[in-house]
Amino acid sequence: MSSSLLPVAIILCIFFLSVNANEVTVGGKTGDWKIPSSSSYSFNEWADKSRFLLGDVLVFSYEPGKDSVLQVTREAYEKCNTTSPKASYTDGNTKVKLDQPGPVYFISGTQGHCKKGQKLRLVVFIPHTSASFSPAPSPFDGPAVAPTSGAAKLTSFFGVVGLVVGFLAFF
């Protein structure tokens, strides 16, 4: 291969390695960060049906000026405490990259909304390709979430193909 293919190989590597991240709209198709309309629905039920991977991006949609999103500690989540968030978002179309594995907690910053169910707890997993890998138990008190598809394995495969193509471009 010639060195003129090097830029193409680099672009392919970047593309194939970046396809692992997903944008996930909080709440699913409805996508509204607001007090749940029914006591039988919660954001946690929605989250329990999904699998969140390191690098995924959560998208919170809400009316700016009337609501907000606070990323908080477990203790603040449990008590609906809005006084010292880890992060605060008010733009109405908040995107939060999941950059740490483990449990993550969000609550509404509007007084009283959290106590009415506008809160979210989820677990971020590290993507892996080995079927023999078993993650350590989570400190999160909830059910384990099964993988939703084999997409992570497929995109990892393309990532390896991209690396091989990039490596071969040097020779």
Side-chain angles (χ1 to χ4, degrees):
M1 294 190 157
S2 71
S3 60
S4 64
L5 292 178
L6 182 59
V8 172
I10 291 171
I11 290 170
L12 285 173
C13 285
I14 291 170
F15 171 76
F16 286 126
L17 291 175
S18 68
V19 294
N20 282 334
N22 293 310
E23 271 197 8
V24 182
T25 301
V26 172
K29 292 180 182 179
T30 61
D32 290 328
W33 176 244
K34 62 182 180 182
I35 298 171
S37 58
S38 165
S39 61
S40 65
Y41 173 82
S42 78
F43 287 103
N44 294 336
E45 289 175 27
W46 166 80
D48 288 345
K49 295 176 185 173
S50 302
R51 184 170 176 94
F52 301 95
L53 300 176
L54 200 61
D56 284 352
V57 176
L58 295 179
V59 180
F60 293 84
S61 296
Y62 52 95
E63 193 172 340
K66 292 192 175 183
D67 210 339
S68 62
V69 177
L70 305 179
Q71 185 172 351
V72 296
T73 64
R74 178 180 179 171
E75 295 79 26
Y77 170 85
E78 290 171 352
K79 295 177 181 178
C80 290
N81 184 341
T82 61
T83 57
S84 299
K86 291 177 156 186
S88 177
Y89 309 96
T90 60
D91 65 353
N93 189 35
T94 298
K95 294 185 179 186
V96 179
K97 184 172 184 180
L98 301 174
D99 57 3
Q100 296 285 323
V104 185
Y105 304 92
F106 298 94
I107 63 175
S108 169
T110 301
Q111 188 68 31
H113 284 204
C114 177
K115 291 196 185 284
K116 293 178 181 175
Q118 193 177 350
K119 56 198 233 174
L120 170 64
R121 164 196 75 219
L122 58 90
V123 178
V124 179
F125 293 92
I126 299 172
H128 59 83
T129 57
S130 171
S132 63
F133 175 78
S134 178
S138 169
F140 163 67
D141 297 325
V145 180
T148 56
S149 72
K153 290 182 181 181
L154 183 62
T155 55
S156 295
F157 168 77
F158 285 121
V160 171
V161 169
L163 285 174
V164 170
V165 170
F167 179 74
L168 292 175
F170 285 113
F171 299 101

